[in-house]
Structures are given as structure tokens and as C-alpha cells.
Amino acid sequence: MKRILGLWINGRWREEAVAENALLLDYLRDGLGLTGTKQGCDGGECGACTVLVDSEPRLACSTLAHSLAGRRVETVEGLATDGNISPLQRAFHEKLGTQCGFCTPGMIMAAEGLLRKNPHPGRDEICGALAGNLCRCTGYVKIIESVEAAAGAST
Amino acid sequence: MSALPDFQLLRPTTAADAVAMRAANAASRYIAGGTDLLPNIRRGLAEPGVVIDLGGIAELAHIDFGTDALRIGAGTTLAAIAGDATIRARYTALAEAAEAVAGPTHRAAATLGGNLCLDTRCVYYNQSEFWRESNDYCMKLKGEGCRVAKKSKRCYAAFSGDVAPALIALAAEIEILGPKGSRRVASADFYRDDGMAWLTLAPDELLVGVHVPLHEGWTSAYEKVRVRGAIDFPLAGVAVALKRKGNAIDDLRIACTGVASRPLAVDGLAELKGKPLDAAALAVITAQTEIAAGAMRTTVVDMLYRRGVAPVLARRITERLWNSAA
């Protein structure tokens, strides 16, 4: 059954009828067309669906949309401003943190959550923050270097 | 994975309202962080007609340091417990156990109550509907008999929560709210050795918090072994709380998880009181932990490894605490 859900999506307040059993992932992808958030393992084991809720990384595949009423949700689509990708996104681009790209939105949102709390993390802190995100291409080194580059660029 | 089936979502704002909603809806389930329940619902392991979301109950998410005990509300996230400097200093095993659960994104959502009530796990159970149907199901859901122990009349699914052994080693009590009021139970007695009915919590009751007594002069720690360094459930997990007095063990408590259908305290350690942690004492710890760690073939990893690694963890952690308390 559908019920009115009001929450912030990428800085914009939205109110609409959403099914009570809708996962945040389904609401974002199917309801709003925000397909940057990826549907991976669907069981909380890969991190591809990571978004920010009140600046904290959350798994959209394991979160009910209605449980976030009134909260602020951010997806990878919300990072760019005026058509310019964010410094973190640019770092992934320039440091080759992306290969096939499927894990990238989740990696970037998990890293974004870390950098907001801790703008200058050490390598261990970066690895810890990305521990729930799997990548099958890069071997992780380029991803970690991308986050380090973004953190360095913000000094 | 399948889509979520239809259900009604209720969002109470007090624990009393939640209990009343549960009593009024027989086919309901509580949800907190949802990191375990939602994947399970999608696999067809639970089919609640009504889901009661505890996330809006502010009174469940408090950490209070009292004069004689620490109280943590069941809705406190594992990230909040792992990140609390006072808990880490005074109740190290609890902070380490909370930090050992899954990955950082899970811990930001997952709660203390959810981890304590975690469904038991088995390689024959945590599968898709298609997989389980193809295998003729098992006794934990829809089928007959145990696939792990074919002649068994009971289910051997393993309890895999990380926080429970830390609470048992720290002699914590669980606070429960039901229609007739609240009650407290020792953390070890919150569980029973049955993969299908592993909690002594009645269907109409709600876990609302835990009380951990002050541990002056104790040190504690938790370690787990898992396939990968993040995300995975424990193949075996061990919590140790030690009180050292000079060159003698004043008190010692050890608890295990992942190796039985409940988290359990290691018995037979009382004889070590007043003795130093020498080779003979370590042999007792090893032997007693071996008795507790009766892991069955519930994971893809060999059960003999899990039975063998639990005593190694117990010995290793106890030695480390002993040396750090010197």
C-alpha cells in the first residue's frame, strides 16, 4: 500500500506516494530515475548501493524508504554543482579509480561520507571506510589513491 | 533476489506503543537497522504482514553511564557503541565486538538490539527460495529434518552475532519490555541452544536495552575469525574479560559465538582463580573452550577449523590481556 513520504533528495524536498514496502534503492532507481545508485548483491554485501543519509553512508538495498521520512538523502547525482563534478569525482577520474564503473558510485559516496567527517584521513581510515565496498577491477589501490588525492586537494 | 512482499509499515514513537502494535498484529516483525531482516525477507525467510519500524523511538537510542552500571538502549547503533570513547576504555570487548560487525555502512544502521536478536545462520538456510526448494527445504523453514546433522531432531543453525559474547563475558543483563511490564535476564539466559528458537524472548516482548555492570580493575577484548576482513559473519568469535591481581587470576570469563546455536559462556574456569596464567592454566582454557565450541557444518568453512580456532582465540586473547594488565 502507498503512503505519502516526505524527504530531501539531493537538496530538494520531495513528497509523494511511495509503497510502504519500497526499499530506498527501488524508490531512487525506479521511482525517481536516479540510476547512479547501483543494484549489486541486494543483500548488503557489496556496497554498490551506498548513498548518504544525513551525511552518513547507508545501504539503499537494506533500507526502507519510509524509515527515512524527513531525512536528507544524497546520491552520486547530487555531488556535481553547476555541471561540474566534485573534487572527489575528479580525483577518481584522474587517478583511474574507476574501471568498469559499477562500484564507483558506492565507493564515491562512502568516501564522501568519510571526507565530510574527516577531511584528511590516513590510509588506514580510508581502507576502513571503504571496507564494505567491493570492486572486482581495480584491486583497490587506485581507489584508495583517488581518495587520498581528493583529501590532499582539499587542503 | 526477490522483491519485498507487500506489508504494512508501522512507525511507533514509544517502546510501549511498539509492544502494543506487536500484540495487536500476530504476523508482525520488528525492524531496526534492517541489515539482516530485509535481505532475509527478500529471500523468503520471513513473511511478515506487518513490519514495525523501531527507528523512530528516541528513548531506545540512549547510552547512559550510571554509578554502578552502563545502560545502552537497544536502538543504539553499533557505530555509536564502537565510537564511544568511554565504552572503549571501560568495556573494551563491547566496543571491539560492535566494531567487528560487518562493514562500516552496516554499523551505521545496525543496532545493538538487532545484533543480539540476529537470526541464526546456516548454509542450508540463508539461500534463495529457489535454492531451498530445490534442496527440499530444511526443518528451520518449511521442511523436515536437519541437512547439517541428518539424524538430528533439532536445528543446528549457528548464532553469529558478535556483541552477545562480549555482553556475556561482561556479565551484562538484558532488559525486556512486554505487555505485563519489564523484566531483566542475564545475557547468557537470553539464549537457548536451538537453531529454530534461539531466543528466550516471548513473541510479544521487545528487547529495550542492556545493563553492563561496572568492571573496576578488569580488562576485556573480543576477536573473531572470518573469511574476509570485513562484512563477513564470524566463523568463530571469542570475548574474554580478565581481572588480574598481582601474579594471579582474580576472575576470568570467556564467551564464544558462531560455534553453536547460541552464544555461550565457557564453563570450568573457576578453578583458575588465584592461580597465575601459566601453561597449565592455558591448557584449561583451551580444553574448556574446545568443549564449548561445538561448531557444526553450517558454513562453507570446515567445522573442524571453527572448533579448533575458538580455543586458539581464547588462549591468545587471555594471554594478551594478562600481559597488558601486568
Side-chain angles (χ1 to χ4, degrees):
Chain A
M1 206 163 63
K2 287 191 173 183
R3 208 162 42 148
I4 299 293
L5 170 65
L7 76 174
W8 298 89
I9 302 283
N10 293 332
R12 184 178 153 199
W13 177 255
R14 302 193 69 113
E15 262 182 36
E16 56 198 309
V18 175
E20 288 182 276
N21 66 342
L23 293 164
L24 175 61
L25 180 66
D26 297 335
Y27 173 57
L28 292 173
R29 289 181 57 86
D30 303 337
L32 303 179
L34 294 172
T35 53
T37 304
K38 299 303 177 207
Q39 183 169 20
C41 70
D42 255 352
E45 295 168 46
C46 77
C49 67
T50 305
V51 298
L52 297 183
V53 175
D54 295 333
S55 288
E56 285 279 344
R58 283 287 288 270
L59 296 166
C61 79
S62 305
T63 304
L64 291 174
H66 275 279
S67 72
L68 301 179
R71 312 272 299 266
R72 291 181 175 272
V73 177
E74 292 172 78
T75 69
V76 72
E77 287 93 341
L79 293 183
T81 48
D82 301 327
N84 298 310
I85 57 175
S86 72
L88 178 61
Q89 288 172 304
R90 180 157 300 284
F92 268 73
H93 173 67
E94 290 176 353
K95 295 292 176 184
L96 307 180
T98 288
Q99 286 185 23
C100 89
F102 195 84
C103 76
T104 306
M107 287 285 182
I108 287 182
M109 296 316 282
E112 176 73 18
L114 169 69
L115 294 178
R116 284 189 193 178
K117 270 197 301 204
N118 179 1
H120 303 293
R123 182 162 278 226
D124 285 351
E125 291 168 312
I126 295 171
C127 291
L130 300 181
N133 293 70
L134 301 188
C135 171
R136 294 197 61 183
C137 307
T138 63
Y140 300 99
V141 173
K142 290 292 173 189
I143 291 173
I144 294 161
E145 288 175 0
S146 299
V147 181
E148 284 178 329
S154 69
T155 47
Chain B
M1 206 179 284
S2 309
L4 284 174
D6 271 335
F7 54 72
Q8 186 187 2
L9 183 69
L10 302 178
R11 304 202 70 215
T13 53
T14 68
D17 283 352
V19 170
M21 287 172 181
R22 181 87 178 89
N25 296 282
S28 62
R29 285 289 296 265
Y30 288 126
I31 189 168
T35 54
D36 192 49
L37 183 62
L38 288 174
N40 283 359
I41 293 177
R42 297 180 80 178
R43 290 195 173 106
L45 302 178
E47 293 177 67
V50 175
V51 172
I52 303 168
D53 178 11
L54 304 174
I57 305 177
E59 64 182 286
L60 290 183
H62 278 289
I63 299 177
D64 298 302
F65 296 98
T67 49
D68 56 349
L70 157 72
R71 184 190 183 279
I72 310 178
T76 309
T77 65
L78 298 175
I81 294 170
D84 189 290
T86 310
I87 293 180
R88 186 163 292 267
R90 293 188 198 163
Y91 309 93
T92 312
L94 181 53
E96 289 179 348
E99 190 163 41
V101 176
T105 326
H106 304 88
R107 296 193 292 274
T111 65
L112 171 63
N115 194 259
L116 294 177
C117 296
L118 194 73
D119 194 0
T120 54
R121 300 180 62 81
C122 180
V123 72
Y124 290 94
Y125 173 70
N126 296 93
Q127 300 286 357
S128 67
E129 176 70 22
F130 173 77
W131 192 102
R132 285 177 291 114
E133 183 189 15
S134 307
N135 202 38
D136 214 12
Y137 298 105
C138 75
M139 67 191 300
K140 185 157 160 69
L141 191 68
K142 295 187 186 176
E144 288 174 18
C146 176
R147 300 279 171 267
V148 169
K150 299 217 167 29
K151 290 177 184 167
S152 169
K153 290 191 167 67
R154 58 157 285 196
C155 163
Y156 279 100
F159 181 81
S160 303
D162 290 297
V163 180
L167 291 182
I168 291 171
L170 293 168
E173 287 189 327
I174 310 277
E175 182 184 339
I176 295 163
L177 183 67
K180 292 173 193 152
S182 67
R183 69 182 175 100
R184 282 207 210 177
V185 60
S187 43
D189 297 335
F190 186 64
Y191 300 96
R192 60 165 92 89
D193 197 19
D194 181 339
M196 292 170 68
W198 64 102
L199 298 179
T200 57
L201 191 72
D204 59 359
E205 290 182 319
L206 172 65
L207 191 168
V208 291
V210 303
H211 297 258
V212 195
L214 200 60
H215 276 69
E216 290 284 1
W218 289 70
T219 53
S220 66
Y222 175 78
E223 277 185 41
K224 76 197 262 192
V225 169
R226 50 181 160 181
V227 176
R228 299 170 290 184
I231 305 177
D232 285 333
F233 288 95
L235 298 169
V238 175
V240 178
L242 171 73
K243 190 174 189 186
R244 177 176 176 172
K245 198 172 181 181
N247 200 34
I249 296 167
D250 195 25
D251 208 348
L252 172 67
R253 291 193 292 259
I254 300 176
C256 304
T257 189
V259 289
S261 292
R262 61 172 169 173
L264 72 173
V266 173
D267 289 329
L269 301 177
E271 65 172 277
L272 299 178
K273 285 185 188 179
K275 296 179 183 169
L277 188 74
D278 54 13
L282 289 170
V284 170
I285 290 168
T286 302
Q288 292 298 334
T289 309
E290 270 172 5
I291 294 169
M296 300 291 279
R297 203 180 302 275
T298 55
T299 75
V300 292
V301 173
D302 188 83
M303 68 176 185
L304 292 178
Y305 173 77
R306 291 162 59 216
R307 289 179 181 188
V309 79
V312 173
L313 285 176
R315 205 170 54 220
R316 185 191 298 167
I317 301 168
T318 310
E319 272 191 297
R320 179 160 59 80
L321 292 177
W322 173 265
N323 291 329
S324 73

